Amino acid sequence: METGPAFESKRRRVPAMAPEERREALIAATIPLLHAHGTDVSTRQIASAAGVAEGTIFGVFESKSQLVVCSLVKALDPQPTLDALAAIDRGAGLRQRVAEAAEIVHNRFIEGAHLMHAARRLFFETAPDAGAQQRMADSRQRMHEAVVEIFEADVDLLRIPPDRAARLLLLHCGANAFGPFGDPEEFRGTDLATLLLDGILIKDDKRGDRTTC
């Protein structure tokens, strides 16, 4: 092991992180642990993953709970999903745009499903947090608005308003990700686009309009 004045000088030259940088580094280390262990992750595990002493956490966060909340908020930040939705080619046909949007939204729900459950329990039940609750509501609204834009360019082709069409897409993606009858491995954006835009009846078959006693 290297020792002596030269080593001590080298160690002193390593710049310390600013508080905000340290916070971001701890959050970055915590997010994968939340995926693996949920909100039961320990400060010891976080410190080990971040390569710092356990006490360092409490130099920039008031408690483990505050770090977990900040990490959940960061992990569930909708911006990457919003960016992906915004990047869909608006010149493509409606069917293609809807299929791509469905894949993007569904992937977000699947990747963050257990974190969303954990956040809801934490923010609404275990340690109610009005600010975090509002951020979750804002995220849902921003997601909804981004999907509405997918439909708006072809509003003249729709029997329902783009707002309602977007809700149906989000509802189906959410049910497939979180519901008891979902099958994430079998999900296809093209299938959902067909369901939303065409329904499930064969168009020249009128039997679906019959009523029975």
Side-chain angles (χ1 to χ4, degrees), residues 78-210:
Q79 195 57 53
T81 304
L82 299 178
D83 291 342
L85 289 169
I88 292 175
D89 181 6
R90 296 308 193 260
L94 177 61
R95 189 176 301 274
Q96 180 179 334
R97 298 200 311 273
V98 171
E100 290 183 27
E103 292 283 353
I104 291 168
V105 171
H106 188 259
N107 287 341
R108 170 181 169 79
F109 287 164
I110 291 299
E111 291 169 3
H114 58 295
L115 290 188
M116 290 179 187
H117 282 305
R120 184 165 294 277
R121 285 196 305 271
L122 181 62
F123 299 155
F124 288 84
E125 300 172 13
T126 307
D129 184 324
Q133 291 174 22
Q134 186 59 51
R135 284 192 292 271
M136 291 182 71
D138 291 343
S139 292
R140 288 195 300 272
Q141 181 60 28
R142 292 168 65 195
M143 182 82 69
H144 176 247
E145 292 171 355
V147 177
V148 168
E149 290 182 4
I150 299 298
F151 290 94
E152 281 184 329
D154 288 298
V155 63
D156 56 318
L157 300 178
L158 304 176
R159 289 195 305 241
I160 61 176
D163 175 86
R164 187 176 173 195
R167 291 190 185 282
L168 289 173
L169 184 149
L170 290 164
L171 177 64
H172 186 92
C173 289
N176 195 70
F178 304 117
F181 297 105
D183 190 349
E185 293 184 0
E186 292 297 320
F187 180 86
R188 300 290 184 276
T190 50
D191 291 341
L192 180 51
T194 297
L195 178 63
L196 291 176
L197 300 178
D198 300 330
I200 60 175
L201 286 179
I202 298 173
K203 292 191 180 302
D204 61 356
D205 189 339
K206 304 301 182 183
R207 288 174 296 173
D209 295 329
R210 293 180 182 175

